[in-house]
Amino acid sequence: MKLVDVKIKGFDYRRLGKLNVSVGGSGTPIVLLHGFPQTHLMWRHVAADLIADHTVICPDLRGYGESDKPTDDYSKRTMAADVVGVVRELGFSTFALVGHDRGALVAFRTGLDHPEAVSHLMCLDVLPTLDMWDVMHGTSAAVGFHLYLMAQPPGLPEELIAAAPDAFFGYFLDLWTKDPDSIPADVRTAYLDACRDAVPSIVADYRASATIDVTHDQEDLASGNKLRMPVTVIQQDWGAALGFDALARWQAWAPDLHHQTTTSGHFMAEESPAEITSAIRKLLER
């Protein structure tokens, strides 16, 4: 089953700028950004709940799903500008922003670059890029082998992954999921179809996080630029597993922070949608 056949019920689909975007509901806007190796479909449960009182906007990120896949320029700064452009085209000047995994890195950069536009920010199961690289060391870094693979110069990573894309992307869907039933067969197939058709752009997204994204984070750290809005971070207890203080890492970037760990797997919006939806609503009350 192709991605185009699997959609979020009750949502309209449209092309806005370079992105494929699903939009539903009415009221104050919330943007939901997906992670790897997924598409906007990962928000299907959370989005269906939030449309009761919000306009919910779920794009496929640049390079993913049905969105454009340019050959270069996957800095999170550029991807953040994509998101802000979509929201403005829909007629909103401010919005709440929630991101998971890769989408959380785009959300983080959007909050730093466009603080006047982002009213509330939530990041799920990541560290900021600069911190991510800083805490990866020794044998514990093996858990992030894909980060190092896709950080290599163009050529070899794309060739290796394209040789067995379903095995590569399916590995993460299996490894990072505590509840396999949370990603049903049709959605899993949609994810694999989308990734199979996007190997170069997905690798380019990751490569940017080992190059230009690090530079941008370093510049913000040096200048004292921080997230000015209320921020919630939910993540697995990677700090205990890998030996770092996740709360302290995030506090350095977000003075108004609520940080919590979850017993859910990585794909928490699909495994524990009620937990994530509740956390979003609590964030909006701050």
Side-chain angles (χ1 to χ4, degrees):
M1 183 177 291
K2 293 295 184 182
L3 177 65
V4 70
D5 297 324
V6 186
K7 296 184 177 183
I8 303 178
K9 291 183 179 179
F11 277 64
D12 295 325
Y13 282 72
R14 62 192 77 176
R15 195 77 176 184
L16 297 174
K18 298 180 182 296
L19 305 187
N20 173 55
V21 184
S22 61
V23 183
S26 62
T28 55
I30 302 176
V31 178
L32 307 177
L33 302 179
H34 68 85
F36 163 92
Q38 299 172 294
T39 70
H40 73 281
L41 289 172
M42 64 156 284
W43 294 111
R44 60 196 179 279
H45 304 306
V46 173
D49 187 309
L50 292 175
I51 59 172
D53 43 13
H54 294 280
T55 298
V56 181
I57 305 164
C58 303
D60 286 332
L61 294 170
R62 168 187 292 238
Y64 290 79
E66 295 293 319
S67 289
D68 283 6
K69 300 171 179 63
T71 57
D72 55 13
D73 201 1
Y74 285 87
S75 75
K76 302 308 159 289
R77 174 159 289 161
T78 295
M79 296 172 80
D82 287 342
V83 173
V84 173
V86 162
V87 178
R88 287 176 177 165
E89 192 166 344
L90 288 169
F92 300 103
S93 58
T94 61
F95 56 96
L97 181 58
V98 182
H100 172 259
D101 190 81
R102 307 304 295 171
L105 299 180
V106 176
F108 174 78
R109 175 48 54 189
T110 308
L112 289 173
D113 285 2
H114 305 275
E116 75 292 342
V118 180
S119 63
H120 300 78
L121 179 67
M122 179 180 288
C123 293
L124 302 180
D125 221 26
V126 297
L127 285 177
T129 299
L130 190 61
D131 297 271
M132 176 191 72
W133 290 114
D134 193 43
V135 304
M136 301 289 282
H137 53 80
T139 57
S140 65
V143 71
F145 79 93
H146 60 299
L147 303 173
Y148 295 90
L149 171 63
M150 291 189 275
Q152 303 309 308
L156 183 62
E158 292 88 343
E159 182 177 352
L160 292 176
I161 295 169
D166 287 7
F168 181 77
F169 296 113
Y171 171 82
F172 299 103
L173 291 173
D174 295 336
L175 180 67
W176 293 343
T177 305
K178 288 187 176 180
D179 176 13
D181 292 336
S182 65
I183 303 179
D186 61 337
V187 174
R188 179 188 174 87
T189 298
Y191 291 156
L192 293 179
D193 285 347
C195 290
R196 192 184 308 118
D197 293 338
V199 170
S201 55
I202 291 174
V203 175
D205 168 36
Y206 272 86
R207 185 176 290 118
S209 285
T211 52
I212 188 62
D213 294 341
V214 171
T215 299
H216 290 159
D217 280 8
Q218 289 171 330
E219 290 171 351
D220 280 321
L221 188 65
S223 68
N225 188 25
K226 298 185 179 184
L227 297 167
R228 305 177 195 173
M229 66 292 298
V231 176
T232 292
V233 173
I234 304 176
Q235 54 193 152
Q236 299 177 88
D237 199 359
W238 287 109
L242 300 180
F244 64 88
D245 187 338
L247 174 60
R249 292 279 176 173
W250 272 104
Q251 284 176 328
W253 292 99
D256 185 358
L257 173 69
H258 172 75
H259 182 277
Q260 68 186 69
T261 56
T262 179
T263 58
S264 175
H266 178 65
F267 302 114
M268 55 193 70
E270 292 170 288
E271 294 188 50
S272 301
E275 176 187 5
I276 300 306
T277 304
S278 175
I280 292 172
R281 294 189 182 281
K282 288 178 181 178
L283 169 63
L284 296 178
E285 293 173 358
R286 287 163 53 194

